[in-house]
Amino acid sequence: MFLSRRNGFGPLDKAIAALVPLVLIAVGVVVYLATRPDACAGGLEKHDGQCVGVTDEAFDADDEIKGLIGAVAKENERVADAWSSPKKGRTPIPYGRIALMMPFTSDESSAMTADMIRRALAGAHAAQLRANSSGGPHYQLLMAPDGKDLDKWRPVVDDLEDLVNDRQSPLVGVMGLPSSTPETRDAMRALSKRRIATVGPVITSADMNAPYFFKTSPNNDLLADALGQYLKRNPGEEKGFLVFDSRPDDVYSRNLHRLLEKKFGEKYGLRQRSASFLGSTGPAAGIPQRFQSAAQKICVTDSDTVFFAGRDQDLPALVKRLSQEPSCDRSNPVRILKVGIGLEPTLTTPELTRMLRETKTTLVASASVAPEWEKKKSGRPAGFDGFLTYFDRLKDAYDFGDKDLDDGYAIMYHDAFTLLANAFDRSYSEANEGTREVDGTTKTPEPALTPTKDDVYNTLIDASIVDTGDATRCIGCLQGAAGTYGFEKSSDTNQWPVCKPIPVIEHPAPANRKAQPTYRSFEKTFKHPCP
C-alpha cells in the first residue's frame, strides 16, 4: 500500500537540496586541485613536474646546488633588510634585482649539466657579493628556473614582466638563457619585445640576436676566425674532415656547421669529407654519440685537421672512438678543432689526455676564457683578480668539482651579472648627481631617482670602443674577468662583445710551443689595436 505524498518538500527533499550544492562545491574543489599548478617552495609553480618561475627565496633543486641557492637567498634577504629596516644609524641602501634565468635541475639530455649549473650559479653569486661590497645600489640575484630543457620560459617571462614597473626595487635585467636552442630564441625575443635588457653569458650561435639581447661571449663566427688565425700559423697538411651534430633543432651546432663549411670548406675539402652524429643534448631521437663511421672515414682519408661542429659533451666519445680505430696511421699527428666557452674538464681527464698523446692527437679550442689564467698571472685579464677574490671564498664553502674554472661558466656568468650591475650603477649615478643644493653642497635628492629598464639598456649600448685617431679607447666598457670589452649600436655587431679576447688553447700543449696569440673580436674594424 502506497502512501500518497503531500504537496511541497519533505524532510528528505530538503536534505537532498542542501546536500547537492555541497557536493558540487566539493567536486569543484577536487577538480581545481587536480588541474591547478602545484605549489613549489619559494613561490614557484609546478609545470609538467618542474618548478618554474621567479623567486628570491630558497627552493628545491639539484642536491649539488642547494647550499648555493640558500646562500643567494640569505644575501637577498640581507639586501632587502638593508633597505627596508637598516640597522640603527645607517642610511637605507637602495637595490635593484637581476634575474638568473636558466635550468636549476638536470639529467643526461638536459641543456646544462649539473656541473655547469653549479659553476654558473657560483659565478653569478660571486658577482653579486662583489657588487654588494661596494658603495652605491646593492643587488638581489633572483633565481628564475625555466625547466631543464629551457621550454618552460613563458611563465618565467610573465613573472619578470610583472617586476618591470616596481620603482622601489626595479628589475635591472635578465641573465642566463644558456643554450642556443629554439626555446632560448623564443624567450630572448619575448624579453626583447618587453624591452628588458638580457645578457647571454655563454651563447655563441651567431644568429641568436634580438634588439635587447647582449652577449658576453664571442659568437661562432668570431671563434671560427680565431681558428683561422691559428691555421695560418699552423697550416698542417690541409687535409680536413668535418664532424657535425645532425640534430635539426640544435641552433648552435647548425650555425657552427654552416660557418665551418663557409670558412674552411673549400681549402680543407669539407664538402667531400664529412660525417654526422646525433648529439646527446635534446629529446630522444636515436642512439647518441655514434662515432664509428666518422672515425673510420677520418682514418682512411688520412685527415690531419678535424673540424668539430658539436657540443663539448660529445667530443670525448669521438676521441675515444678514434683511439680504438685500427685503420688509423698512428705515425701522423691529428688535431681536432673546436670552439666554445672554455675547455670542458671532461676533455682533459687523465684517461682522455693519455689517449690523445698515444694517438698523437691535439685538441685546438678557440674560446672565451683560458685555463692558464688561473695558473699564471701574466696574460690574465685585468678584471680576473677581482673575480677570483670572491669566487675563492665560495670555493672554501662549496664543492665546485675539479678544474672549476676551465669550462668558463663561472667566469662568464660573473661577467654577465657585473655588466648589468655596472650599467645600473652608472645610470643611478647620472640620474642623481648634483640635483639639490643644501648649504652650498650638492646632495642626492630624497627619494633618489631610480633608473628604468630603458636607462639600463641605453647605458649598456653606449659602452663602446672609440678611435681617437692615435689609439683606441674603451668608454664605459666592462672590465670583466674574461677581458675588457664593450658593445656597439650597430647591425654589424648585434650586441656581441667588441674587443673581447679570444684565446686559442692546445691540449695537450705541444712541447716547446709558445702560447698562441690572442685574437680580439671585431678588432679589424679599428685602425689601431684594441685597448
Side-chain angles (χ1 to χ4, degrees):
M1 183 176 182
F2 295 96
L3 296 174
S4 61
R5 190 170 179 177
R6 293 177 298 180
N7 291 334
F9 289 101
L12 179 61
D13 297 302
K14 292 179 180 179
I16 292 174
L19 183 61
V20 167
L22 294 176
V23 171
L24 293 175
I25 291 172
V27 169
V29 169
V30 170
V31 171
Y32 169 74
L33 292 174
T35 57
R36 70 164 184 163
D38 293 336
C40 298
L44 302 178
E45 288 190 337
K46 189 164 287 187
H47 293 263
D48 297 332
Q50 300 183 69
C51 291
V52 300
V54 182
T55 183
D56 60 358
E57 302 174 7
F59 60 96
D60 292 331
D62 285 351
D63 290 341
E64 297 88 346
I65 61 170
K66 284 184 178 178
L68 266 176
I69 288 176
V72 172
K74 185 177 180 180
E75 176 67 7
N76 288 341
E77 184 179 10
R78 188 196 67 78
V79 167
D81 288 345
W83 166 253
S84 61
S85 54
K87 293 181 180 179
K88 189 174 181 180
R90 295 194 177 182
T91 303
I93 301 175
Y95 68 94
R97 296 186 280 190
I98 295 174
L100 175 56
M101 184 175 173
M102 70 175 195
F104 285 77
T105 55
S106 65
D107 59 23
E108 292 182 355
S109 64
S110 55
M112 294 179 78
T113 66
D115 283 339
M116 289 176 180
I117 294 171
R118 184 164 66 246
R119 292 165 185 164
L121 179 57
H125 185 41
Q128 179 193 20
L129 295 174
R130 186 179 180 186
N132 290 346
S133 69
S134 58
H138 284 182
Y139 298 91
Q140 284 189 331
L141 175 60
L142 303 182
M143 293 166 283
D146 58 352
K148 67 181 182 64
D149 297 318
L150 308 171
D151 56 347
K152 306 293 185 295
W153 59 267
R154 288 179 178 84
V156 178
V157 171
D158 289 342
D159 287 351
L160 290 169
E161 186 176 21
D162 291 341
L163 301 176
V164 164
N165 295 321
D166 187 333
R167 303 297 291 124
Q168 181 171 294
S169 50
L171 179 69
V172 175
V174 179
M175 57 175 288
L177 286 73
S179 188
S180 300
T181 65
E183 292 78 13
T184 295
R185 177 177 285 161
D186 291 342
M188 165 193 78
R189 289 171 175 170
L191 289 165
S192 190
K193 185 177 180 180
R194 292 159 174 79
R195 303 207 318 267
I196 299 173
T198 306
V199 183
V202 294
I203 289 291
T204 63
S205 181
D207 50 8
M208 294 290 286
N209 300 308
Y212 281 71
F213 190 48
F214 295 78
K215 286 77 64 169
T216 51
S217 181
N219 62 34
N220 288 340
D221 196 0
L222 298 165
L223 292 165
D225 282 346
L227 288 180
Q229 295 296 317
Y230 170 89
L231 289 172
K232 284 182 181 180
R233 295 184 294 271
N234 308 280
E237 299 296 326
E238 296 185 355
K239 297 172 70 174
F241 196 93
L242 175 64
V243 180
F244 62 94
D245 189 339
S246 61
R247 280 190 181 273
D249 57 347
D250 191 335
V251 177
Y252 164 81
S253 296
R254 291 182 63 189
N255 175 254
L256 182 56
H257 180 189
R258 290 194 300 268
L259 287 168
L260 291 178
E261 276 194 340
K262 177 182 176 181
K263 293 177 182 293
F264 307 110
E266 183 176 349
K267 186 172 184 178
Y268 286 88
L270 302 186
R271 294 188 181 277
Q272 297 78 36
R273 294 187 292 275
S274 66
S276 67
F277 71 96
L278 183 69
S280 59
T281 300
I287 302 173
Q289 299 182 347
R290 296 177 60 186
F291 286 113
Q292 182 177 6
S293 176
Q296 290 175 342
K297 291 176 181 178
I298 290 169
C299 292
V300 299
T301 57
D302 201 25
S303 299
D304 75 321
T305 305
V306 178
F307 296 86
F308 183 73
R311 295 183 180 273
D312 283 2
Q313 296 95 304
D314 298 314
L315 188 48
L318 173 61
V319 173
K320 291 177 181 178
R321 193 63 193 80
L322 277 172
S323 72
Q324 300 164 358
E325 178 53 49
S327 63
C328 265
D329 181 357
R330 303 301 180 193
S331 63
N332 294 333
V334 178
R335 64 259 181 106
I336 301 176
L337 275 62
K338 64 171 287 291
V339 306
I341 302 303
L343 202 57
E344 163 64 38
T346 57
L347 298 174
T348 60
T349 62
E351 178 191 12
L352 209 71
T353 301
R354 175 181 56 78
M355 289 181 184
L356 291 168
R357 287 199 168 101
E358 289 176 352
T359 57
K360 295 185 178 179
T361 303
T362 303
L363 298 179
V364 180
S366 62
S368 199
V369 305
E372 61 261 24
W373 290 348
E374 185 178 13
K375 303 173 183 69
K376 300 179 181 178
K377 287 196 173 184
S378 60
R380 68 170 52 165
F384 189 84
D385 288 339
F387 152 77
L388 206 57
T389 298
Y390 288 88
F391 186 76
D392 282 349
R393 294 177 188 174
L394 295 179
K395 284 175 63 174
D396 293 338
Y398 308 98
D399 177 21
F400 299 143
D402 295 333
K403 303 176 181 178
D404 47 24
L405 295 182
D406 284 15
D407 66 357
Y409 272 64
I411 294 172
M412 298 312 300
Y413 274 72
H414 166 275
D415 280 11
F417 184 101
T418 304
L419 180 68
L420 288 168
N422 285 357
F424 189 78
D425 278 355
R426 290 180 59 201
S427 302
Y428 185 90
S429 297
E430 291 180 15
N432 291 287
E433 60 183 357
T435 55
R436 186 166 66 94
E437 186 170 313
V438 176
D439 298 330
T441 61
T442 55
K443 292 186 177 182
T444 300
E446 297 178 3
L449 300 176
T450 306
T452 66
K453 59 182 176 57
D454 296 307
D455 295 321
V456 172
Y457 167 79
N458 292 329
T459 301
L460 283 171
I461 203 67
D462 199 37
S464 60
I465 313 293
V466 296
D467 196 324
T468 66
D470 300 321
T472 54
R473 290 189 61 188
C474 206
I475 308 300
C477 290
L478 171 70
Q479 191 176 80
T484 299
Y485 46 93
F487 298 90
E488 297 284 339
K489 194 169 185 177
S490 165
S491 59
D492 294 330
T493 58
N494 280 314
Q495 284 84 259
W496 294 97
V498 177
C499 282
K500 168 73 181 67
I502 307 177
V504 175
I505 309 158
E506 294 177 300
H507 177 78
N512 303 319
R513 174 77 66 84
K514 293 182 179 179
Q516 298 297 310
T518 296
Y519 181 77
R520 301 290 292 273
S521 62
F522 299 108
E523 187 170 31
K524 291 181 180 179
T525 62
F526 301 102
K527 181 179 179 181
H528 299 93
C530 286

